[in-house]
Amino acid sequence: MTMNRLWYDTAASAWTEALPIGNGRLGAMVFGGAWDERIQINESTFYNGGPYQPINPDAKDHLPAVRQRILDGKYMEAERLAYDHVMARPDLQTSYQPIGDLKIAFQHDMTTINYRRELDLETGIAVTRYDCDGVHYHRQIFASAIADVIVCKVTVDKPGSLSLSLLLSSPQNGEAEDRRDHVLGYLGRNRKQNGIPGALRFAFRTQVVATGGFVDRGPESIRVREADSVIIFIDAGTSFRRYDDVSGDPEKTTEMRLARASTRAFEDLLEEHVEDHRRLFGRMAIDIGPDLSHVPTDKRVRDNVAKPDPQLAALYTQYGRYLAIASSRPGTQPSNLQGIWNEEILPPWNSKFTLNINTQMNYWLADPANLAETFIPLIEMVEDLAETGQEMARAHYGARGWVVHHNTDIWRASGPIDGPKWGLWPTGGAWLCAQLYDHYSFSGDEAILRRIYPLMKGSAEFILDILVDLPGTSYRVTCPSLSPENRHPGGTSLCAGPAMDNQIIRDVFAAVISASEALAIDEALRAELVAARARLPEDKVGKVGQLQEWIEDWDVEAPEQGHRHVSHLYGLYPSHQIDLYETPALANAAKVALERRGDDATGWGIGWRINLWARLGEAERAAEVVQKLLSPEYTYPNLFDAHPPFQIDGNFGGAAGIIEMLVQSKPGEVRLLPALPKSWSEGYVRGVRLRGGVTLDMTWQDGQVQDVTLAADRDTSMTVIYNDNSPRVSVTGLTKLAL
């Protein structure tokens, strides 16, 4: 019995109990009913609306007045003026949508025994099995990235005893397809939203191949009688090609994919799927506690409240890796707020891309978890945003470069939305660029650097053009801006030069400076950035010893002392600007701020806090927060993050935090077991990626590192900190550390 498996002894009765499968483009939630299976389908490009650019022609003319009111301390006046004249038009975006359901009704007695459903993370296969009337029923479902369809095979151990019917349904506008073969289809269009006309066509189809028995098709269903086995192929597609092109032909593409897949042997489809999935999933292993995989997963989550289950944390980490593989593949959309899984027409926060923490958190796990390929969709999205954001930068700010604020959608809208106190934040694109450069640091691949350099350069040019002098100081700051999404004593979030902006901009400027040197280009821009970086406000320590969230020492008077965001701690994590050993005074101030903020937050807020406590070396506190995250309050039975409601960022952020407790790296340095709690006293990790192009295997016992092997992509040297030692090690190929 593998430890990398979720399993249950009852079928899912709610969506948050169903098991997710996906190939980056297609996603499905598998409920595992014994006599009435439901497979709920998503397709990563299916959003409402169509191509649009929400430019407000009044924004640029009114921006100086908003800025001046902020600088004068008239914050509420600034908010009202911004609301009336500066926000995007429309100031809302579009929603990610469900495609529909495939329902399978089995014709057998309703009394079943020996029921079990599971999701094998190592193979990417969801399995349901049970016995009924002396017949063993076995169901396998997987989303093949190679065939690009979902495949379901149902078998019985008594020939001729399998009878079922299939029904396709959709909550979207459209109608069932009139066909004569063993295919059910539903063709439709998306909805308009916020005045943006619907522009996408979609096709949703399933095809049945039975061995033995009889198959007939009714107006809306397919019936199979007395078969030995049935293979069901599922596909969906839209006319989306890119954010400004909806000329695709989903009817043709789904028909072609189903035709190709349905003529192949199931065994071949299964073998190539497992091989492809294992190629990614098998790169990393983790073990940090007793094996409790014999206990149903939902019970382990319930029991974790009273007694910590360290191996549940390991399973959660591998589940995060599984979700990354399933929801983010090269050529697909990035993982949105729910990855690729959503059943609601009006999903929470539109299930799109929130850029003031959530989308970035979705990709914290990718590189350390040795899944660099899953990061590529984020680069592809930033490339799109650099195009749409260039228009926004010119129209709203009169600036060079490009901008995106705190949200975007499939159409790559880049304007400020939702109201000034949430949306008038100009550094969402800059954060994305800082993350792209960090991704590059894991490999040092010059091809990646050349690809992302224009994106970083454009973001830096935008920032250069919008910085303003802060009266009475030598600082240059962003204004208007905000510290997401936290109000200060002025009654709103709008402010000048919040700590997070300064930290993000320092990272982006440093990235462009370093990259331009490495590529030997843009010397004049480099000098301009060096000078501008020197005039950014430094991190400040406030009157109670806390790291300040704003230039003003407002933290103690802020209305929400336990706010879910910890934006001003960006410098501690994911950045490396604040370091426990290199900047101890700032690290201590960050600790004070984190203690004051508390650990009661949303699921993603808890995930961020795990990483922060890990960076501070607070092992037991980090473990307490992990246990909090892996409780029924914040984790659903299927291990989805309970924000609540479900958001996948908590899964990715929490999994990244668990790795951060075990291994922390930056270029030229790695810290082993920097935040190891006593309850994780022995274990191993294999295949963890380090910044600098190095892969790490490590075992530990009694809280001490025992064995370390480093594998470098190219010859390098690094400081390895462990067991109170810190040797400088030359890594050539495969290097075993002499302990």
Side-chain angles (χ1 to χ4, degrees), residues 413-529:
S414 58
I417 65 163
D418 293 341
K421 67 181 69 174
W422 297 283
L424 198 53
W425 181 63
T427 47
W431 189 351
L432 289 171
C433 285
Q435 189 158 8
L436 263 55
Y437 190 72
D438 190 51
H439 169 68
Y440 156 74
S441 76
F442 277 88
S443 68
D445 184 344
E446 186 176 311
I448 294 175
L449 185 63
R450 290 189 179 279
R451 180 176 183 179
I452 66 175
Y453 179 77
L455 310 175
M456 299 190 303
K457 176 183 175 180
S459 179
E461 288 176 330
F462 170 75
I463 296 296
L464 284 172
D465 285 359
I466 67 164
L467 290 175
V468 298
D469 292 332
L470 185 67
T473 75
S474 62
Y475 298 139
R476 287 182 61 78
V477 297
T478 52
C479 183
S481 191
L482 53 89
S483 187
E485 301 161 354
N486 198 9
R487 289 180 297 149
H488 55 69
T492 179
S493 62
L494 292 184
C495 66
M500 184 188 221
D501 279 12
N502 303 323
Q503 294 166 355
I504 289 173
I505 294 168
R506 274 196 291 271
D507 272 353
V508 171
F509 282 5
V512 177
I513 291 166
S514 177
S516 68
E517 289 175 341
L519 299 174
I521 55 177
D522 290 332
E523 184 176 350
L525 174 63
R526 191 187 320 151
E528 189 178 2
L529 292 173

Side-chain angles (χ1 to χ4, degrees), residues 24 84 117 315 339 347 355 365 450 468 610:
D84 290 338
R117 66 184 175 101
L315 178 65
L355 304 177
L365 181 66
R450 290 189 179 279
V468 298
I610 295 169

Side-chain angles (χ1 to χ4, degrees), residues 73-280:
K74 299 175 181 178
Y75 301 104
M76 292 307 297
E77 287 186 26
E79 182 180 302
R80 286 190 291 270
L81 186 62
Y83 184 84
D84 290 338
H85 297 290
V86 175
M87 303 306 291
R89 294 181 182 171
D91 68 346
L92 297 170
Q93 294 177 354
T94 62
S95 299
Y96 184 52
Q97 292 290 290
I99 287 282
D101 288 359
L102 173 65
K103 294 186 177 177
I104 310 172
F106 294 90
Q107 276 75 61
H108 59 56
D109 190 81
M110 295 183 68
T111 302
T112 61
I113 59 174
N114 301 324
Y115 177 90
R116 179 184 173 108
R117 66 184 175 101
E118 63 186 42
L119 176 63
D120 189 334
L121 304 182
E122 295 182 5
T123 63
I125 302 172
V127 175
T128 303
R129 56 171 69 93
Y130 57 88
D131 298 320
C132 181
D133 289 336
V135 178
H136 181 68
Y137 289 79
H138 185 259
R139 197 181 313 155
Q140 299 166 281
I141 306 179
F142 59 90
S144 169
I146 306 298
D148 204 11
V149 296
I150 293 170
V151 183
C152 172
K153 183 174 185 180
V154 186
T155 60
V156 289
D157 64 354
K158 182 179 178 181
S161 59
L162 179 59
S163 296
L164 55 84
S165 60
L166 294 90
L167 177 67
L168 211 62
S169 64
S170 174
Q172 305 296 339
N173 299 321
E175 58 185 16
E177 188 178 14
D178 184 18
R179 299 181 67 104
R180 298 178 182 275
D181 51 18
H182 296 167
V183 176
L184 290 176
Y186 188 92
L187 309 179
R189 300 189 69 90
N190 69 341
R191 293 174 169 85
K192 71 175 182 180
Q193 189 168 2
N194 305 321
I196 304 162
L200 285 177
R201 304 191 332 273
F202 77 92
F204 176 29
R205 286 175 168 144
T206 187
Q207 183 165 349
V208 174
V209 176
T211 300
F214 310 91
V215 181
D216 63 88
R217 187 187 185 283
E220 296 181 346
S221 66
I222 292 176
R223 292 167 293 185
V224 179
R225 296 289 181 270
E226 300 175 6
D228 303 334
S229 65
V230 173
I231 306 173
I232 303 163
F233 301 92
I234 308 166
D235 193 17
T238 79
S239 57
F240 181 90
R241 288 184 179 273
R242 54 176 259 146
Y243 70 87
D244 56 357
D245 183 351
V246 293
S247 64
D249 187 345
E251 294 90 346
K252 181 179 179 180
T253 54
T254 54
E255 186 170 35
M256 289 175 57
R257 285 190 293 258
L258 287 174
R260 283 198 303 265
S262 63
T263 57
R264 299 186 58 201
F266 173 80
E267 291 73 17
D268 293 339
L269 292 167
L270 179 65
E271 181 179 1
E272 72 180 12
H273 160 74
V274 171
E275 181 180 356
D276 173 68
H277 181 81
R278 282 182 168 155
R279 175 180 60 85
L280 298 170

Side-chain angles (χ1 to χ4, degrees), residues 692-706:
V694 177
T695 303
L696 167 79
D697 294 350
M698 171 181 66
T699 63
W700 67 93
Q701 292 180 354
D702 299 321
Q704 297 290 299
V705 175
Q706 297 295 307

Side-chain angles (χ1 to χ4, degrees), residues 561-564 566 594-603 605-610 612-613 620-622 624-626 628-629 633-634:
Q561 292 295 309
H563 199 268
R564 59 197 174 276
V566 281
L594 190 55
E595 286 175 335
R596 289 179 55 81
R597 193 57 55 93
D599 296 330
D600 291 325
T602 55
I606 291 174
W608 196 350
R609 283 158 172 81
I610 295 169
L612 292 165
W613 286 120
E620 300 308 323
R621 186 67 174 268
E624 289 174 10
V625 183
V626 170
K628 178 189 284 284
L629 181 63
E633 184 178 4
Y634 293 107

Side-chain angles (χ1 to χ4, degrees), residues 543-558:
K543 55 194 169 190
V544 295
Q546 89 287 0
L547 192 74
Q548 290 182 197
E549 188 160 358
W550 300 275
I551 289 178
E552 297 82 356
D553 195 354
W554 281 335
D555 299 72
V556 177
E557 289 80 27

